[in-house]
Amino acid sequence: AQSVTQLDSQVPVFEEAPVELRCNYSSSVSVYLFWYVQYPNQGLQLLLKYLSGSTLVKGINGFEAEFNKSQTSFHLRKPSVHINDTAEYFCAVSPQGSGNTPLVFGKGTRLSVIA
Amino acid sequence: EPEVTQTPSHQVTQMGQEVILRCVPISNHLYFYWYRQILGQKVEFLVSFYNNEISEKSEIFDDQFSVERPDGSNFTLKIRSTKLEDSAMYFCATTTGQGQETQYFGPGTRLLVL
């Protein structure tokens, strides 16, 4: 079974400052890793995903994440945040090679960008 | 861009009543999921559905829950006799079913059981 821990429930940050949202996972098998974003009153939108290959993954809206297998982490970063990045961010995993398996989510991190 | 849609956006019901939550998948998608998120908690998997049958289900998905694709377009989640603890946001997600791909999520239905 897999589990995901998002250590920070809330992260306030000033506009144009950098941000890192932390995600650690636990799994006995190799996993695919995902970050989703949920804007107010909207569904979950995929930001980026790691399936294989380069451990640095670039996503939409200037976000990137780095897969670190030894630390079982997949932290999300953005060098300069904007007001409209204010949202809930979810890290998720699923086991590799099992096609169409359900996602296991973390509890989410609420990013609040302050003008 | 194609979207997954869900109706209703909000539903309030009395304990013991039946509710049906509806999802319209993206048109060429064949693999469907229901997830739920109780307020303040993580998003949890309920059930996946492919080729008109349940593919996988979690321990949350007990006999009170059922899913079906009644007309080839809608994908529904029915809760037969709602409990207070069923109050949550329910998300539908879909993929083409061709392997490990992005799951596209709908906007959710917020269910409140009184």
Side-chain angles (χ1 to χ4, degrees):
Chain A
Q2 290 75 44
S3 67
V4 176
T5 302
Q6 292 183 245
L7 294 167
D8 307 302
S9 59
Q10 296 188 57
V11 173
V13 63
F14 286 103
E15 196 173 16
E16 297 184 8
V19 70
E20 178 180 85
L21 306 183
R22 296 180 291 171
C23 172
N24 289 88
Y25 69 92
S26 173
S27 176
S28 57
V29 300
S30 296
V31 293
Y32 299 129
L33 295 142
F34 305 82
W35 275 99
Y36 281 83
V37 60
Q38 184 180 27
Y39 298 106
N41 301 314
Q42 295 186 31
L44 298 169
Q45 179 183 0
L46 182 73
L47 269 181
L48 48 80
K49 60 185 176 184
Y50 172 79
L51 302 182
S52 65
S54 173
T55 57
L56 182 63
V57 180
K58 294 191 183 298
I60 62 171
N61 301 339
F63 284 93
E64 64 180 32
E66 186 153 20
F67 170 53
N68 187 318
K69 188 173 183 179
S70 63
Q71 297 187 6
T72 61
S73 67
F74 191 55
H75 300 332
L76 181 70
R77 302 186 184 98
K78 186 170 183 178
S80 175
V81 295
H82 300 126
I83 285 287
N84 56 12
D85 291 325
T86 294
E88 188 93 18
Y89 291 80
F90 294 92
C91 181
V93 303
S94 68
Q96 283 190 16
S98 303
N100 300 306
T101 51
L103 298 170
V104 175
F105 284 87
K107 289 188 73 170
T109 298
R110 182 169 298 278
L111 174 65
S112 299
V113 180
I114 305 161
Chain B
E1 184 176 324
E3 292 181 337
V4 177
T5 59
Q6 290 184 242
T7 55
S9 58
H10 296 79
Q11 181 152 2
V12 181
T13 190
Q14 295 292 322
M15 190 169 57
Q17 294 297 304
E18 174 184 284
V19 296
I20 298 176
L21 311 183
R22 292 181 170 81
C23 169
V24 178
I26 295 172
S27 63
N28 63 336
H29 285 194
L30 302 174
Y31 219 102
F32 314 123
Y33 307 79
W34 284 103
Y35 293 84
R36 78 172 185 190
Q37 184 184 28
I38 295 171
L39 189 64
Q41 299 186 25
K42 58 180 68 177
V43 177
E44 302 171 290
F45 167 71
L46 292 177
V47 65
S48 58
F49 188 86
Y50 176 72
N51 202 24
N52 285 321
E53 59 183 30
I54 289 173
S55 180
E56 189 172 347
K57 61 182 181 179
S58 72
E59 58 190 23
I60 302 169
F61 193 86
D62 61 21
D63 291 344
Q64 293 296 316
F65 293 91
S66 63
V67 289
E68 64 175 353
R69 202 167 183 214
D71 55 13
S73 59
N74 288 291
F75 174 52
T76 63
L77 174 69
K78 182 191 291 185
I79 309 175
R80 291 191 182 83
S81 178
T82 50
K83 306 176 193 139
L84 296 176
E85 55 265 36
D86 293 328
S87 295
M89 179 74 94
Y90 289 81
F91 293 105
C92 172
T94 76
T95 74
T96 62
Q98 293 173 359
Q100 186 53 52
E101 304 171 47
T102 302
Q103 292 186 22
Y104 291 86
F105 282 78
T109 294
R110 185 170 295 283
L111 176 64
L112 178 61
V113 182
L114 303 177

